[in-house]
Amino acid sequence: MCGIVGAVASRNITPILVEGLKRLEYRGYDSCGVAVHSGGQLQRARSVSRVSELDREVADTKLEGQTGIAHTRWATHGAPAVRNAHPHFSRDPEAARIALVHNGIIENHDELRGELKAHGYTFESQTDTEVIVHLVDHYYEGDLFAAVQSAVKRLQGAYAIAAICRDEPHRVVGARAGSPLIVGVGKGENFLASDAMALAGVTDQIIYLEEGDVIDVQLGRVWIYNAAGREQSSTERPVKTVHAHSGAVELGPYRHYMQKEIFEQPRAIGDTLQGVEGIVPELFGDKAKSVFAQIDNVLILACGTSYYSGLTAKYWLESIAKISCNVEVASEYRYRDSVPNPKTLVVTISQSGETADTIAALKHAKSLGMQHTLTICNVSTSAMVRECALHYITRAGIEIGVASTKAFTTQLTALFLLTLTLAKMRGHLSAESEAEHLKALRHLPTALQAVLALEPQVIAWAQEFSRKENALFLGRGLHYPIALEGALKLKEISYIHAEAYPAGELKHGPLALVTDAMPVVVVAPKDSLIEKLKSNLEEVRARGGELFVFADGDSAITNSEGVHVIRMPEHYGVLSPILHVVTLQLLAYHTATARGTDVDKPRNLAKSVTVE
């Protein structure tokens, strides 16, 4: 989602700001901009094109300065347009006093807008951010830090902000509440950013800010004050070494990052399993054994693709660990009355660890007295990890494509380890079964390589799919969430309308949609439900529907008129979802490329959803 970069240095920092925006492009955006302190004035450039176009504009106008801020925007208030792009200026744009960038959503912006208009401020944009910059200007009396402190006390909602002032060179002031913000510490220069990746190659010394922090960044030092206005020491906000390697985001020989990340899954799962010699609670933290001994049920909170990994885990947890599990859409959970149980293990799942809805749901669960918390996350330094008592860090590596692939399969891998751990502690995992499951997990990278070899067959199907506007995905039992994920992938990047259903639900409504123009994708492993699934396939064929079936080799489903079959290399038992979802990722990817869509940056979507 939106990205922030800020810098204070004794050199021209415009190239650093623009390069930082390039590193944040994977998060998704629809406009971008940069503002610098130059010649005693604030100057800016903004664009509704890619950062590369902004870079050309910056070069053409010779925009240079030693203090500045930059931003990539994903629209929440106001359409993608230059007037809505950040940075926003206060007062007359030709003689602006304050420039500001903002991630998040201000819920009381209408009230503040009316108040500021009464004070003589005029608004050029439709954004809630312009309210903040005018508010800071309103409180400004010669000290930018004090003005920002006063302004944020008036804000309701989520924000990460960075501001500079015409009258105070070599100073950037930031604040955060509900949206991530970090400090990059350099030698005689310092930085602000929403993501450590933005500062890769500039500094690896990072301070992670906490809720309510206000930060004063100057040339030789940074000052951090908490929500209560107390200065924080180096022990309270320690500097950490974070290696955000820029090489990880290079495309290499692949056409798109999504394709690269699909093919990185064998490595990502192997890395996620690194160091797992046996099933022990300490995989999830030093206190895990004590925590797991106190729980009697599991609550999973997640959004989007992570939610579907949670739905898959529910089948594992209840069938293998014999523990009750509920899975909630994080954005809905805290807005309904629920029945808290202090013996619940609250599990959050997030690729970035900064998903606003999931963090809010986690805090809500804790406020209800559920203190046993664990997160499955790809970023060890994220807010989610810091908020939870226990964690398992997946090692998917940086995922650039907006449509998640390797983050999903590594989440499933971690959730299966959690299942085995709880099963063992509850007396439902024999030594023999543990050894068999570990062997299957270690074989996953090899099994996935065989699945990826099916790509040419999937490409042939994708040519057919690219001419469709609707699709139906079916699965049963453990594979129903995989059908949901397959439909999500197709709609995300190809813009084909796709829905998923449990195959047994066909006759309860969806069958009315089936015609020869509606391809039906079926996840068909040879499990205990295969015969039931075959009956569902006959229901489709009887209505003239065309079936595209991913079947295990010995499932006895064969190619025939209106039935197209791709055979999986092997049946993989309870881990079959991890293999089957890769074929659905490939189908979505190649359908999208055949349709010519922007695969890595699909319209209207963002990678890291840091606003509610």
Side-chain angles (χ1 to χ4, degrees), residues 42 151 247 299 313 327 431 498 506 550 569:
L42 297 181
L299 170 64
V327 187
L506 265 178
F550 291 102

Side-chain angles (χ1 to χ4, degrees), residues 563-578:
V563 181
H564 313 278
V565 180
I566 291 179
R567 299 205 173 281
M568 301 292 288
E570 57 184 305
H571 176 54
Y572 222 65
V574 291
L575 289 173
S576 172
I578 297 176

Side-chain angles (χ1 to χ4, degrees), residues 132-410:
I132 310 174
V133 71
H134 290 326
L135 194 63
V136 171
D137 184 87
H138 174 67
Y139 285 116
Y140 185 77
E141 295 180 348
D143 185 342
L144 180 61
F145 184 80
V148 170
Q149 278 189 313
S150 297
V152 297
K153 291 176 182 177
R154 302 288 311 281
L155 303 180
Q156 297 173 15
Y159 58 82
I161 62 175
I164 58 176
C165 178
R166 178 194 63 200
D167 302 330
E168 299 183 62
H170 291 123
R171 192 181 201 187
V172 177
V173 175
R176 68 146 297 188
S179 292
L181 194 66
I182 64 164
V183 178
V185 180
K187 295 180 179 179
E189 57 187 20
N190 292 300
F191 308 90
L192 275 178
S194 53
D195 188 323
M197 175 56 62
L199 304 179
V202 177
T203 181
D204 61 2
Q205 300 300 292
I206 303 297
I207 300 173
Y208 288 88
L209 301 179
E210 301 293 341
E211 283 289 287
D213 281 354
V214 183
I215 176 79
D216 189 350
V217 179
Q218 299 188 34
L219 274 175
R221 186 180 167 189
V222 298
W223 292 262
I224 302 172
Y225 291 79
N226 66 10
R230 184 172 65 84
E231 185 175 357
Q232 301 298 282
S233 68
S234 59
T235 55
E236 291 169 309
R237 299 290 186 273
V239 177
K240 298 182 179 181
T241 301
V242 177
H243 298 293
H245 296 294
S246 58
V249 300
E250 293 174 359
L251 187 57
Y254 297 95
R255 290 182 62 189
H256 301 91
Y257 285 109
M258 183 178 178
Q259 184 186 30
K260 175 177 182 278
E261 289 151 10
I262 289 172
F263 277 82
E264 285 177 341
Q265 287 176 111
R267 188 274 309 159
I269 287 177
D271 288 351
T272 296
L273 292 169
Q274 186 177 356
V276 179
E277 300 299 330
I279 301 302
V280 293
E282 287 73 21
L283 291 170
F284 299 89
D286 294 339
K287 299 179 181 179
K289 185 174 183 179
S290 171
V291 170
F292 291 165
Q294 299 176 60
I295 65 165
D296 63 11
N297 75 103
V298 176
L299 170 64
I300 296 176
L301 303 171
C303 300
T305 285
S306 296
Y307 172 71
Y308 296 149
S309 71
L311 288 179
T312 307
K314 175 181 172 71
Y315 286 90
W316 287 335
L317 287 162
E318 296 196 342
S319 65
I320 299 173
K322 310 299 181 185
I323 188 168
S324 175
C325 177
N326 289 315
V327 187
E328 296 265 5
V329 175
S331 58
E332 293 290 325
Y333 170 68
R334 68 189 177 114
Y335 294 114
R336 69 173 185 84
D337 292 332
S338 57
V339 182
N341 178 353
K343 293 185 178 181
T344 298
L345 176 65
V346 180
V347 178
T348 61
I349 310 171
S350 171
Q351 185 273 330
S352 68
E354 304 290 350
T355 308
D357 287 319
T358 307
I359 291 174
L362 169 64
K363 291 180 177 179
H364 176 67
K366 291 171 70 174
S367 74
L368 297 177
M370 295 186 285
Q371 298 301 313
H372 301 316
T373 57
L374 181 153
T375 190
I376 307 293
C377 183
N378 193 39
V379 182
S380 62
T381 53
S382 65
M384 203 89 71
V385 172
R386 298 196 301 275
E387 190 74 30
C388 287
L390 307 174
H391 62 262
Y392 194 96
I393 305 301
T394 59
R395 297 185 178 92
I398 297 166
E399 191 176 68
I400 304 297
V402 167
S404 181
T405 52
K406 61 179 179 174
F408 179 71
T409 50
T410 53

